[in-house]
């Protein structure tokens, strides 16, 4: 898989995590509808086979001939389709209890797609397609020079059953035996439906010297309470070149044409529309446009996605086997199809994604399967993570304790060699070596926690299970919690007050004060970041940044910080004895200590530099 790129929000979140770690270095609810076994259709076509034939009057025959002639003049061979009884804006409905689809005669494409078992934040039904927000069109040139679009032509529907599967054939006819067909097969209990495009007898109609282009467009409908938060996770993802994947990001963007495209996903935060093909498209061009410029005004749609894909003719005919997925952006559901669709979810690139896929997702699923609420599952998961990482925390704190014990001697060396920085550095390194201490020994344990922190930062916003699940005062753990509505909007903060981010910010501030808050000025080195500034900035950034984030994520950070404070208190007052550490250091200093290759090499380099410096002064 091609590694995913950082977007701006991920970088901000990563900065927050990094800032906190640097500091450490310094010391549905919607009731499901039952599946119906009865096929429904909103359209009953009357045909010459089931309607008694009445002799036409001479004037009616003349009118029909005139209509046919007019249609053929405008549409050429496809004029025949415009004269059929199906040439009306009527829909045929398919439903399996999970997904309800309406397919319109005009264009033969899905005019409405509803998630049967889910509701929006305001209790209205979840629609992925509704009121013309989507289109699916084939653009082609005919042998008589006409350029036509299927979205403007009328298909004839035929609904049938194949076992338990519902089969809808939409045919765009040139004659009774020559046509372009869209075939939809909806299976019970599936969000994925089979879809195929094929033609019969149209080799004489298609101009094979011109490309047939498939254009798919979707304006994503708002489904969540926070339109900005939902929009942050709404993006176009595609797979190409034998399994690589990429996405367009958050800003307006047009991607260059990629080769061998195998699927395109128009992903909303918690729901996704995906077109997959067994025969890769030779290339693809994709665009994404942000439709939310003002959250007070632009409240219906989030983004507009378009895909342009060429269709190849074989023997002058079209023949593509595809699939449509309309359903939740849920890891288990997508992963079960074994089509690499889990890459649609932003679980993190590289090691971050692996940690989520093989550790956090299975573990959280296990906890939530028997615990009484998802909020408690988050708390238990946080406790387990912190306990597992407690040895790392211990190592980091032990390093801080050693450095604290050595601080008077380091201060003495700084004063003694204040006019000779090179000598001061040499003597400091010797002291660290003899005492068996190193500033870097506390750095590595903290760095080891970065993959875990960032993986969880990606996990909670992508956890579909949290959608519309409440805990304490939070109504929905997948969205922000609200304890107060503001009569105005604060830039970057919002028009509401969330309590979980406040608690998390207070907890991280207390932790920072507990560790090295009292001695930060003593340790401040010239040219290094102002640690007092970082101590105040990090909680403040967390407060603003997480006010519109999922309350489940803020609950995790609040719980994690509380547990960390507890672990640090236990380590400080029950495990680590600074007097024993001091005695151990003094004992180490008396023992001959063999330098490692790296330390010896560094010392040699510093001694050579000091000698050159002395020669330069002479």
């Amino acid at each position: 898989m091609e590694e995913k790129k950082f977007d701006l929000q991920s970088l901000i979140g990563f900065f927050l995590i990094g800032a906190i770690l640097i500091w450490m270095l310094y010391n549905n609810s919607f009731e499901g509808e039952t599946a119906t076994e009865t096929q429904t259709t909103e359209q009953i076509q009357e045909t010459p086979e089931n309607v008694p034939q009445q002799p036409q009057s001479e004037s009616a025959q003349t009118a029909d001939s005139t209509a046919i002639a007019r249609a053929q003049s405008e549409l050429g061979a496809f004029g025949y389709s415009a004269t059929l009884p199906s040439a009306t804006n009527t829909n045929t409905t398919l439903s399996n209890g999970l997904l309800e689809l309406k397919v319109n005669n005009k264009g033969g494409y899905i005019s409405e797609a509803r998630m049967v078992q889910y509701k929006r934040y305001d209790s209205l039904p979840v629609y992925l397609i509704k009121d013309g927000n989507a289109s699916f069109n084939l653009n082609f040139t005919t042998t008589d020079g006409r350029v036509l679009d299927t979205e403007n032509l009328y298909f004839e529907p035929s609904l049938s059953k194949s076992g338990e599967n519902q089969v809808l054939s939409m045919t765009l006819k040139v004659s009774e035996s020559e046509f372009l067909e869209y075939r939809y097969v909806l299976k019970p209990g599936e969000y994925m439906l089979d879809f195929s495009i094929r033609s019969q007898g149209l080799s004489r109609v298609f101009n094979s010297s011109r490309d047939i282009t498939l254009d798919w467009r979707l304006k994503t409908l708002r489904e969540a309470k926070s339109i900005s938060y939902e929009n942050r996770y709404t993006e176009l993802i595609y797979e190409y070149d034998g399994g690589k994947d990429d996405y367009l990001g958050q800003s307006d963007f047009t991607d260059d044409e990629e080769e061998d495209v195998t699927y395109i996903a128009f992903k909303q935060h918690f729901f996704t529309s995906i077109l997959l093909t067994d025969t890769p498209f030779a290339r693809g061009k994709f665009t994404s446009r942000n439709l939310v410029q003002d959250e007070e005004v632009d409240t219906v749609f989030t983004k507009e996605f378009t895909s342009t894909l060429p269709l190849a003719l074989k023997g002058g005919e079209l023949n593509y086997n595809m699939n449509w997925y309309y359903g939740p952006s849920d890891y288990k559901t997508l992963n079960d199809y074994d089509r690499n669709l889990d890459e649609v979810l932003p679980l993190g690139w590289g090691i971050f994604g692996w940690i989520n896929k093989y550790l956090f997702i299975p573990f959280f699923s296990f906890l939530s399967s028997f615990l009484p609420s998802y909020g408690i599952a988050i708390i238990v998961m946080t406790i387990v993570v912190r306990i597992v990482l407690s040895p790392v925390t211990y190592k980091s704190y032990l390093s801080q304790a050693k450095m604290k014990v050595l601080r008077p001697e380091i201060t003495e060396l700084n004063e003694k060699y204040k006019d000779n920085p090179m000598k001061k550095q040499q003597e400091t390194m010797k002291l660290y070596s003899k005492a068996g201490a190193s500033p870097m020994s506390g750095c590595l344990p903290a760095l080891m926690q970065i993959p875990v922190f960032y993986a969880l930062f990606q996990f909670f916003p992508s956890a579909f299970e949290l959608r519309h699940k409440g805990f304490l005062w939070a109504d929905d753990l997948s969205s922000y919690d609200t304890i107060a509505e503001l009569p105005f909007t604060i830039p970057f903060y919002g028009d509401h007050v969330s309590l979980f981010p406040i608690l998390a910010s207070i907890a991280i501030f207390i932790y920072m004060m507990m560790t090295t808050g009292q001695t930060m000025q003593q340790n401040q080195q010239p040219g290094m970041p102002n640690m007092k500034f970082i101590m105040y900035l990090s909680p403040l950034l967390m407060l603003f940044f997480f006010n519109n984030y999922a309350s489940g994520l803020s609950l995790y950070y609040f719980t994690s910080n509380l547990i960390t404070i507890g672990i640090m208190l236990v380590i400080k007052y029950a495990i680590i004895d600074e007097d024993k550490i001091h005695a151990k250091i003094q004992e180490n200093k008396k023992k001959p200590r063999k330098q490692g290759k790296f330390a010896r090499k560094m010392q040699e380099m510093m001694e050579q530099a000091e000698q050159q410096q002395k020669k330069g002064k002479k």
Side-chain angles (χ1 to χ4, degrees), residues 38 349 457 485 488 498 566 573 588 612:
T38 304
W349 52 271
F457 175 76
E485 297 283 354
F488 49 84
S498 297
Y573 293 108
N588 288 341
Q612 291 178 357

Side-chain angles (χ1 to χ4, degrees), residues 39 93-96 160-161 164-168 184-186:
Q39 299 182 73
T93 302
L94 303 172
S95 180
N96 64 359
S160 61
K161 292 197 74 172
E164 295 184 342
N165 301 335
Q166 300 172 63
V167 181
L168 175 61
Y184 301 87
V185 180
L186 183 62

Side-chain angles (χ1 to χ4, degrees), residues 192 262-263 274-278 321-323 325 339 341:
M192 184 86 74
T262 43
Y263 74 65
I274 308 175
L275 174 63
L276 307 95
T277 178
D278 293 342
N321 293 319
M322 305 181 188
N323 296 94
Y325 176 87
R339 301 283 294 271
L341 299 183

Side-chain angles (χ1 to χ4, degrees), residues 17-138:
I17 295 170
I20 294 170
L21 288 171
I22 288 173
W23 178 260
M24 295 169 63
L25 303 185
Y26 274 79
N27 117 111
N28 115 13
S29 295
F30 177 51
E31 184 178 350
E33 297 182 11
T34 57
T36 176
E37 296 182 0
T38 304
Q39 299 182 73
T40 61
T41 178
E42 296 179 355
Q43 172 188 24
I44 300 177
Q45 296 291 337
E46 294 186 345
T47 64
E49 286 76 19
N50 56 25
V51 178
Q53 299 296 308
Q54 300 292 335
Q56 288 186 317
S57 65
E58 183 176 343
S59 58
Q61 292 177 354
T62 302
D64 287 347
S65 299
T66 302
I68 293 173
R70 186 185 307 112
Q72 289 178 339
S73 174
E74 294 176 357
L75 304 175
F78 287 96
Y80 176 80
S81 64
T83 65
L84 299 176
S86 58
T88 56
N89 285 319
T90 51
N91 295 309
T92 303
T93 302
L94 303 172
S95 180
N96 64 359
L98 296 178
L99 184 62
E100 183 181 87
L101 304 173
K102 293 183 179 180
V103 183
N104 196 283
N105 289 6
K106 187 174 183 180
Y109 175 59
I110 299 168
S111 58
E112 193 172 286
R114 179 170 71 92
M115 302 290 100
V116 174
Q117 296 188 339
Y118 299 105
K119 289 186 177 181
R120 291 173 16 132
Y121 70 100
D122 52 7
S123 299
L124 294 176
V126 172
Y127 287 95
L128 302 188
I129 300 175
K130 189 181 181 183
D131 297 334
N133 71 311
S135 67
F136 184 84
N137 176 58
L138 299 189

